[in-house]
Amino acid sequence: MARNVSTQRKIVVTVVAWTIGILIFFPILWTFLTSFKTEAEAIASPPSLFFFDWTTENYHEVQSRSNYFLHFMNSVVVSVGSTLIGLIIAIPSAWAMAFSPTKRTKDVLMWMLSTKMMPSVGVLVPMYLLFRNTGLLDTRTGLVIVLTLINLPIIIWMLYTYFKEIPGEILEAARMDGASLSKEIIYVLTPMAIPGIASTLLLNIILAWNEAFWTLNLSAAKAAPLTAFIASYSSPEGLFYAKLSAASTMAIAPILILGWFSQKQLVRGLTFGAVK
Amino acid sequence: MATLHTRSAARLMIAPSVLLLLAWMIVPLAMTIYFSFLRYNLLMPGMEEFAGFTNYKYFLTDPAFFQAIFNTLAIVLGVLFITVVGGIALALLLDQPMFGQGIVRILVIAPFLIMPTVAALVWKNMFMNPVNGLFAWIAKLFGLQPFDFLANAPLMSVILIVAWQWLPFATLILLTALQSLDEEQKEAAQMDGAGAWSRFIYLVLPHLSRAITVVILIQTIFLLSVFAEILVTTNGGPGTQSTNLTFLVYAQALLQFDVGGASAGGIIAVILANIVAFFLMRMIGKTLEA
């Protein structure tokens, strides 16, 4: 009897949860479906959910009209580049703070975090002028520099919380056995740290891929990543739903897949370890 | 000996990060402060001169500034209300046993992974458009006049779009916190005859309070600088009806080329954000000790 009630309850919960889940996901599903419609079908009334002539025309069209691939590569270079450089700078720092903490380590960590709290708009003017005067405006290099700097505190924090969980005794033992600092890092620390580093990498690529303040303000036709390229569809002459949908689908698909793999790290990284 | 050696090595390893962040924090911010005291317009190069607090006076007495402050607060509070209440409800729902829990979770998280410009444009064109949008079609189904969201309720529309993006964040964090609640405690409360409501009020909510605080503080930091969603949907308009502080500074700097005025606005934004950051840092600092 009790079992019956709980099965019934489970079914009700399932129906409610799925309905809400699909409603929340619907804008994305709708974008995906619309990307396979013709422009006429995209604005047809009544709209059709699945029963239309599926076409991949829009995907070809988006590429041939606006060199979509260039902007896609800009996004890849900027997000992966800034993340890798950030990791190279952050790994030694996080390692040192996790394993040789001093009295000031906590203050340093908190101070690093505080740089993340500064609103971007507070430094928009000088950054724009600096970039303009040094020729970095609308270059991939410029965007990589800025995104590395804004995400560096998150990278350090995430790595720090992961490194903290590695038992220090193992390093002590290695040191006792005469391992040098470099050997310690290569043979002992790295294998244990790889999962944490991978999670940090993943989360940061997501954050950098979706960053939409600096990319919008510091790039134009040449270096514009997908965030800025998609924004150009906001002008009235860009009002083609099917093409907008195709461009959007390609822009969000890689990150959706990456993000679904790193749900847990998302929580940890975005709360600076405050919620695990 | 060895410790001395490691200590100096440690210092060497931390140095690059510290120096980079120090430069990133000090150089542009110092420039913003400096510019904020200048009369400096990019259209009139070479005419820069010291202007004292004129830019601040100008910015702070601009009616657009008060509208922007109001809009900034409305976006922060509106989105917080929707995401925290909705997030608690969703987290409670997703914590129940059900079929296909993993898939529902994936569906709910998705909006957070969408880049802001895509999210805003999809909502603007495919849902809120008064002619071709889905909402207009639904309104017509019921014989109602389609509502032009972005023209008649621009601020509410922006809040809606941003809330859709942040609801998954709140849900995910609250769900994580919920799952750490001791199952035995819940059962004990049930045994003692506590109903679902009192269990929620006296057991679940206190347990979630820390996570809720974290959600509120972190979201506030990000919500104070909502930008892309406004840029591609309403462009701050009509008039300044959906202009927040970030957008106002952007417009002052890159549309009117008023470096001095924009810098003063930027400094005001920094001060506002710092007030919030102060509380957030204390929260996170406590977890470091634990």
Side-chain angles (χ1 to χ4, degrees):
Chain A
M1 188 60 195
R3 181 147 186 200
N4 230 341
V5 172
S6 80
T7 316
Q8 226 170 44
R9 190 187 144 94
K10 198 170 168 183
I11 290 170
V12 173
V13 170
T14 304
V15 171
V16 175
W18 274 85
T19 311
I20 293 176
I22 289 170
L23 272 180
I24 290 176
F25 187 71
F26 186 74
I28 300 165
L29 176 70
W30 189 243
T31 308
F32 177 74
L33 292 172
T34 305
S35 73
F36 293 104
K37 296 177 178 176
T38 61
E39 290 296 347
E41 274 168 333
I43 56 169
S45 182
S48 53
L49 197 54
F50 295 109
F51 304 105
F52 53 85
D53 295 321
W54 291 62
T55 167
T56 53
E57 185 60 31
N58 301 305
Y59 288 89
H60 300 293
E61 189 92 1
V62 164
Q63 166 57 23
S64 66
R65 263 206 208 175
S66 52
N67 200 359
Y68 186 90
F69 189 69
L70 170 78
H71 302 293
F72 188 87
M73 281 319 289
N74 285 341
S75 273
V76 172
V77 169
V78 169
S79 58
V80 176
S82 67
T83 303
L84 288 181
I85 296 174
L87 278 175
I88 291 169
I89 301 167
I91 288 174
S93 306
W95 185 84
M97 286 193 280
F99 295 115
S100 320
T102 61
K103 270 177 277 170
R104 276 175 302 155
T105 298
K106 199 194 141 195
D107 296 330
V108 172
L109 272 169
M110 293 309 285
W111 168 74
M112 283 178 168
L113 187 57
S114 75
T115 65
K116 187 70 198 156
M117 310 284 164
M118 182 171 66
S120 307
V121 77
V123 293
L124 170 65
V125 174
M127 286 312 286
Y128 184 84
L129 294 177
L130 279 174
F131 268 46
R132 199 190 58 170
N133 295 343
T134 51
L136 284 172
L137 213 54
D138 198 19
T139 61
R140 286 171 173 179
T141 316
L143 290 180
V144 168
I145 293 173
V146 172
L147 290 193
T148 302
L149 287 170
I150 64 166
N151 285 333
L152 191 56
I154 295 189
I155 299 183
I156 294 175
W157 261 84
M158 271 190 83
L159 289 174
Y160 173 79
T161 61
Y162 280 114
F163 288 177
K164 261 287 205 220
E165 285 169 11
I166 297 174
E169 301 84 51
I170 287 185
L171 293 176
E172 292 289 326
R175 212 169 294 162
M176 293 286 208
D177 291 344
S180 66
L181 187 65
S182 58
K183 279 207 180 117
E184 201 175 274
I185 294 176
I186 295 169
Y187 295 110
V188 185
L189 186 76
T190 309
M192 297 189 73
I194 290 277
I197 294 175
S199 312
T200 311
L201 180 98
L202 226 52
L203 176 71
N204 252 273
I205 289 176
I206 295 173
L207 289 179
W209 185 277
N210 288 343
E211 202 284 332
F213 181 78
W214 293 110
T215 51
L216 283 171
N217 281 313
L218 296 179
S219 75
K222 216 156 39 83
L226 289 169
T227 43
F229 168 71
I230 301 275
S232 69
Y233 275 84
S234 67
S235 58
E237 63 264 31
L239 211 65
F240 298 106
Y241 290 6
K243 280 176 209 68
L244 166 67
S245 299
S248 300
T249 302
M250 286 190 281
I252 62 182
I255 288 311
L256 266 183
I257 293 162
L258 274 188
W260 283 335
F261 279 118
S262 53
Q263 291 176 38
K264 286 240 166 60
Q265 286 69 38
L266 227 55
V267 175
R268 190 172 175 152
L270 290 165
T271 60
F272 306 103
V275 174
K276 275 185 219 165
Chain B
M1 247 322 255
T3 49
L4 245 168
H5 175 76
T6 16
R7 208 172 283 166
S8 59
R11 212 167 283 156
L12 212 67
M13 286 154 76
I14 301 174
S17 311
V18 170
L19 292 177
L20 271 177
L21 286 175
L22 202 63
W24 166 240
M25 189 135 161
I26 289 174
V27 177
L29 199 59
M31 283 172 79
T32 310
I33 295 173
Y34 173 66
F35 289 149
S36 72
F37 291 109
L38 292 184
R39 188 188 321 253
Y40 183 2
N41 193 301
L42 287 179
L43 295 178
M44 294 177 285
M47 301 275 284
E48 299 88 41
E49 55 178 8
F50 186 71
F53 283 95
T54 318
N55 287 321
Y56 287 94
K57 220 186 292 172
Y58 200 76
F59 203 89
L60 289 171
T61 52
D62 186 357
F65 171 72
F66 291 103
Q67 174 93 52
I69 289 284
F70 172 81
N71 291 344
T72 307
L73 290 178
I75 291 174
V76 171
L77 295 177
V79 174
L80 278 181
F81 179 77
I82 299 173
T83 53
V84 170
V85 174
I88 292 174
L90 265 174
L92 286 173
L93 179 66
L94 292 181
D95 197 33
Q96 311 286 324
M98 69 175 84
F99 300 105
Q101 195 170 27
I103 300 172
V104 177
R105 230 173 108 124
I106 279 176
L107 293 180
V108 170
I109 291 166
F112 190 69
L113 302 167
I114 306 301
M115 54 175 70
T117 44
V118 165
L121 276 181
V122 164
W123 277 96
K124 175 193 182 185
N125 291 324
M126 289 156 61
F127 288 88
M128 292 175 170
N129 186 295
V131 182
N132 299 322
L134 265 188
F135 289 161
W137 177 72
I138 293 170
K140 275 184 257 174
L141 268 190
F142 291 98
L144 298 168
Q145 196 68 253
F147 185 69
D148 190 348
F149 286 87
L150 290 165
N152 297 327
L155 195 60
M156 198 197 77
S157 308
V158 170
I159 291 174
L160 222 74
I161 296 170
V162 178
W164 178 72
Q165 289 182 278
W166 283 94
L167 182 61
F169 174 79
T171 307
L172 200 57
I173 286 176
L174 294 173
L175 184 60
T176 309
L178 206 54
Q179 280 163 350
S180 69
L181 179 60
D182 198 3
E183 206 55 44
E184 279 172 21
Q185 243 180 340
K186 268 195 277 186
E187 270 166 31
Q190 206 162 4
M191 296 274 215
D192 290 344
W197 179 249
S198 48
R199 254 179 294 151
F200 174 70
I201 292 290
Y202 296 109
L203 186 62
V204 177
L205 216 50
H207 177 77
L208 286 183
S209 65
R210 224 182 82 83
I212 293 174
T213 317
V214 171
V215 167
I216 289 176
L217 292 170
I218 290 176
Q219 282 201 33
T220 305
I221 294 287
F222 283 95
L223 294 175
L224 280 172
S225 5
V226 166
F227 174 72
E229 292 85 349
I230 297 175
L231 180 76
V232 299
T233 53
T234 62
N235 222 333
T240 53
Q241 279 184 49
S242 58
T243 296
N244 68 352
L245 199 51
T246 302
F247 196 83
L248 186 67
V249 174
Y250 151 82
Q252 198 89 8
L254 300 186
L255 302 181
Q256 296 178 32
F257 305 106
D258 177 7
V259 170
S263 299
I267 294 302
I268 294 169
V270 170
I271 292 170
L272 277 180
N274 267 309
I275 297 172
V276 180
F278 175 76
F279 292 103
L280 178 56
M281 300 291 287
R282 277 183 37 172
M283 268 299 292
I284 296 172
K286 272 187 199 141
T287 66
L288 263 191
E289 279 149 17

